[in-house]
Amino acid sequence: MTGEAIDDRAGDAERHLPKLRLDELLDELQTRIDAARGTRDRVHSLLEAVLSVGRELDLPQVLRRIVEAAVVLVDAEYGALGVISDDRTLSQFLTVGIGEEERARIGDLPSGHGILGELIRHPVPLRLPELSEHPSSYGFPPGHPPMHSFLGVPIRVRDTVFGNLYLTEKRGAQEFDAEDESVLSTLAVAAGVAIENARLYEETRLRERWMRASAQVTSTLLSGAPSTEVLRLIVEQAREIVSADVGMIAEYVANSEEMRPLLAVGADAERRGGLVLPAREGLVGAALDTAEPVVSADISHDPLGRGDGSPWAGLGPVVAVPLGAGGKSRGVLVLGRLSGRTPFSDADAGPLLGFAGQAALALELADRRRDAEQITLLQDRDRIARDLHDLAIQRLFAVGMTLQSTQRFVDHSEAVERLSRAVDDLDDTIKIIRSTIFGLRTHGGGAERAGLRGRVSRVVGDSATSFGFTPALRIEGLVDTDVPADVADHVLAVLGEALSNAARHAQAHAVDVHLHCADRELTLTVTDDGCGIPEEVKHSGLRNLAERARALGGTLAIGAGPDGSGTRLVWHVPTGSSRS
């Protein structure tokens, strides 16, 4: 080979080497440009995600937007956001990428164990190429889709961990990288701000709703509406504002350590309204003892609900608030959500204490109103008794004496007989009036000294608390003198049961009580204009009334009212004595 050929070949090599270096530089430059474009696109996506999350003010929508944006940003197959409760478990778990059928096959949502609990216990970013290799991994329940790569970051609201973002199954790669972790951590910071804004907005809106509800209750109280109407308004407003399924207001049963709901609204209200709550134990006892709202995340598994399960059947989260008035509790306001729903938060329970105070005020006003009505009634009774004694009886007695003296001047035997009957009728009328006066004037001597007339009046007056109005009462005959003590006790028991049934089941606007005693027979009739006796109501109480009647040789009849509506109860027994 000549030297000239060697020189040509060396020149070609020198020309190719710069070209190869240029291609490599250009390729590297293109790679960096593509990476820069990818970073730019990812930054743009992150900014769009931050703006999207920040635009929402409704908290559930904010949480949904956060997890949806996270899945897109790190290109994950599945995503979830877990909200941490006060007991360090997950109270909410929002998912993306799992359909309804898959969710149904999986069953109950996680509560915060395994890998999910690892982030709760140690709130720092966690990145794993293989989930199953971590010591805290418990595996997946049947029906759960397979998951391998994992990335989790905490969401902080100010200095408190609100929840965690969980991403699994990186698309197009074996695992999530450091850049994914950085982007997701940045989104979590923006999410914390958005959640805080949504919370503040929600608290402001909630505060406005409580203020409107309080104004409405105050207006109803000042209007003089019946206490039952005010209490129903309070329960309905509270139940709606805190999104409860059940609401009850319970008050002490007279002379006992038990409470009975004055009213119950919502799910299974009919059954709950007839239950008895112990006032010194369980959830209700805790609220009365502490004079503060007491919250149970799940009453069915809470020691506060054990041994007293019937009022809480079907319920999960429950809050009980004392009704305080004058330094003591009159009763409790209880709100409950069905099993499986989210627990009541501090924002839910906090305003309830002041709102429940209005319920206590309604009960206090009802007592004062009832006392004023009772005083007026007693004053009227005294006036009527005085007028009957000083005017009616004296005039009737004078008429009787005149007729008796007239008999001496009448010779016709039939006329004498008629005059004699008239005198006897006047004598009976005087006895009836004297019995009425006795009944009107025995209101101050206590139950053991009062006659049947006064005792019946007291039972009817006490029932006004349950009805929201005082039932009408008519008493005819010598009930204080002609009705034996044992029959009188039966009458009071039957009347109390009849009024209680009407208050709980009838939804009546008017109730009429009629007690009639004549010709050795006593008839008690209780009529209401309500909805009749529901089919599902237990009839044990009515059977007791029938047994009382049979034991005295009498009868019990129950049917519709005179106009075909409502309910009419007729309890009829012999008295075993005649008028004297």
Side-chain angles (χ1 to χ4, degrees):
M1 181 177 293
T2 63
E4 187 176 316
I6 292 173
D7 290 340
D8 290 340
R9 197 173 283 181
D12 290 341
E14 290 176 358
R15 284 194 297 271
H16 282 296
L17 283 174
K19 183 178 180 180
L20 288 172
R21 291 195 190 95
L22 181 60
D23 289 341
E24 290 175 358
L25 290 173
L26 289 174
D27 290 342
E28 182 180 351
L29 178 61
Q30 185 64 46
T31 301
R32 295 194 177 188
I33 290 173
D34 292 340
R37 285 175 177 169
T39 302
R40 181 200 63 185
D41 293 341
R42 203 159 200 186
V43 170
H44 286 168
S45 298
L46 178 60
L47 290 174
E48 289 176 3
V50 170
L51 291 174
S52 174
V53 168
R55 275 195 292 264
E56 288 289 344
L57 287 175
D58 182 63
L59 185 57
Q61 285 297 325
V62 169
L63 300 181
R64 172 62 59 181
R65 286 285 182 89
I66 290 171
V67 67
E68 289 174 347
V71 168
V72 173
L73 280 176
V74 299
D75 202 17
E77 184 76 22
Y78 305 105
L81 190 153
V83 179
I84 302 173
S85 63
D86 294 336
D87 60 356
R88 309 301 294 166
T89 60
L90 296 178
S91 60
Q92 295 183 60
F93 197 74
L94 308 176
T95 61
V96 171
I98 297 178
E100 293 296 331
E101 293 183 2
E102 283 183 310
R103 187 178 289 110
R105 286 197 301 270
I106 294 171
D108 295 336
L109 295 176
S111 58
H113 302 290
I115 291 293
L116 304 185
E118 184 70 20
L119 267 175
I120 296 175
R121 294 184 293 271
H122 305 97
V124 293
L126 178 63
R127 183 158 45 96
L128 302 172
E130 178 55 55
L131 269 170
S132 60
E133 295 178 358
H134 194 277
S136 298
S137 178
Y138 286 176
F140 298 107
H144 198 287
M147 295 180 181
H148 301 281
S149 55
F150 173 86
L151 174 60
V153 297
I155 298 176
R156 285 183 169 83
V157 176
R158 297 189 178 179
D159 296 328
T160 304
V161 178
F162 173 83
N164 295 310
L165 275 171
Y166 307 104
L167 287 305
T168 60
E169 292 299 281
K170 171 76 173 179
R171 289 190 179 101
Q174 292 294 319
E175 60 180 301
F176 296 96
D177 57 23
E179 188 174 341
D180 292 325
E181 180 180 322
S182 176
V183 168
L184 197 61
S185 298
T186 304
L187 177 65
V189 173
V193 176
I195 290 170
E196 176 70 4
N197 290 338
R199 273 182 162 180
L200 292 174
Y201 175 74
E202 191 174 79
E203 289 175 6
T204 302
R205 191 171 57 177
L206 190 62
R207 194 177 300 115
E208 290 176 354
R209 294 185 68 186
W210 282 118
M211 291 177 64
R212 286 197 300 269
S214 296
Q216 187 176 355
V217 171
T218 300
S219 175
T220 307
L221 274 171
L222 295 177
S223 70
S227 59
T228 51
E229 180 181 334
V230 179
L231 295 176
R232 183 170 293 277
L233 175 63
I234 288 171
V235 175
E236 289 286 11
Q237 291 277 17
R239 189 168 73 98
E240 180 182 350
I241 291 175
V242 303
S243 185
D245 299 296
V246 174
M248 292 185 289
I249 285 184
E251 192 180 27
Y252 280 102
V253 178
N255 303 319
S256 74
E257 291 296 323
E258 295 179 332
M259 308 191 100
R260 185 183 296 275
L262 289 175
L263 62 92
V265 296
D268 204 11
E270 185 68 34
R271 184 188 63 81
R272 299 183 203 277
L275 297 173
V276 174
L277 305 173
R280 291 303 169 201
E281 58 185 58
L283 184 77
V284 171
L288 294 174
D289 289 341
T290 61
E292 294 288 339
V294 176
V295 179
S296 172
D298 187 357
I299 194 65
S300 61
H301 297 91
D302 194 318
L304 292 174
R306 291 175 186 167
D308 185 28
S310 56
W312 320 121
L315 298 181
V318 174
V319 56
V321 186
L323 307 181
K328 64 176 183 178
S329 295
R330 294 285 307 269
V332 290
L333 167 65
V334 178
L335 298 170
R337 292 172 179 164
L338 294 178
S339 182
R341 292 193 58 194
T342 56
F344 292 98
S345 64
D346 291 340
D348 293 326
L352 280 174
L353 191 60
F355 200 62
Q358 293 188 307
L361 179 60
L363 294 174
E364 194 72 19
L365 286 177
D367 286 348
R368 297 290 180 266
R369 198 175 294 150
R370 189 163 56 252
D371 290 344
E373 291 173 353
Q374 187 71 11
I375 291 173
T376 302
L377 176 63
L378 297 180
Q379 290 174 342
D380 283 344
R381 284 181 177 180
D382 286 339
R383 178 184 57 78
I384 293 170
R386 187 171 57 251
D387 291 346
L388 286 174
H389 183 271
D390 296 343
L391 301 175
I393 287 182
Q394 301 305 324
R395 297 190 65 175
L396 289 173
F397 184 75
V399 171
M401 293 292 291
T402 301
L403 291 176
Q404 280 183 323
S405 63
T406 304
Q407 283 180 320
R408 298 197 303 266
F409 303 103
V410 177
D411 296 327
H412 196 284
S413 60
E414 185 176 347
V416 172
E417 183 182 354
R418 290 186 178 183
L419 284 173
S420 180
R421 285 203 303 267
V423 171
D424 290 342
D425 287 342
L426 284 173
D427 187 45
D428 287 343
T429 302
I430 290 173
K431 289 179 180 178
I432 292 173
I433 294 176
R434 286 188 186 278
S435 175
T436 302
I437 293 172
F438 177 78
L440 290 172
R441 286 180 170 173
T442 53
H443 52 73
E448 66 281 357
R449 292 178 53 193
L452 179 58
R453 185 184 300 269
R455 295 166 72 188
V456 166
S457 299
R458 186 173 294 107
V459 171
V460 172
D462 290 344
S463 69
T465 301
S466 301
F467 288 111
F469 59 86
T470 303
L473 173 63
R474 290 179 296 149
I475 301 178
E476 297 178 346
L478 303 177
V479 295
D480 289 329
T481 57
D482 284 3
V483 180
D486 59 334
V487 177
D489 291 338
H490 283 292
V491 170
L492 294 172
V494 170
L495 178 59
E497 180 68 23
L499 292 175
S500 177
N501 286 339
R504 284 183 295 175
H505 307 304
Q507 301 176 8
H509 297 90
V511 178
D512 180 82
V513 178
H514 182 201
L515 184 64
H516 180 262
C517 179
D519 301 326
R520 303 186 183 185
E521 293 184 341
L522 180 71
T523 303
L524 172 66
T525 305
V526 180
T527 308
D528 66 66
D529 64 349
C531 59
I533 302 177
E535 292 294 332
E536 66 274 10
V537 172
K538 296 181 179 179
H539 295 273
S540 56
L542 299 180
R543 284 196 297 272
N544 291 338
L545 304 189
E547 289 174 2
R548 287 180 182 274
R550 282 195 297 271
L552 297 173
T555 60
L556 172 70
I558 300 175
D563 59 353
S565 63
T567 304
R568 185 182 188 186
L569 180 148
V570 181
W571 192 80
H572 180 84
V573 295
T575 61
S577 64
S578 61
R579 293 184 304 173
S580 58

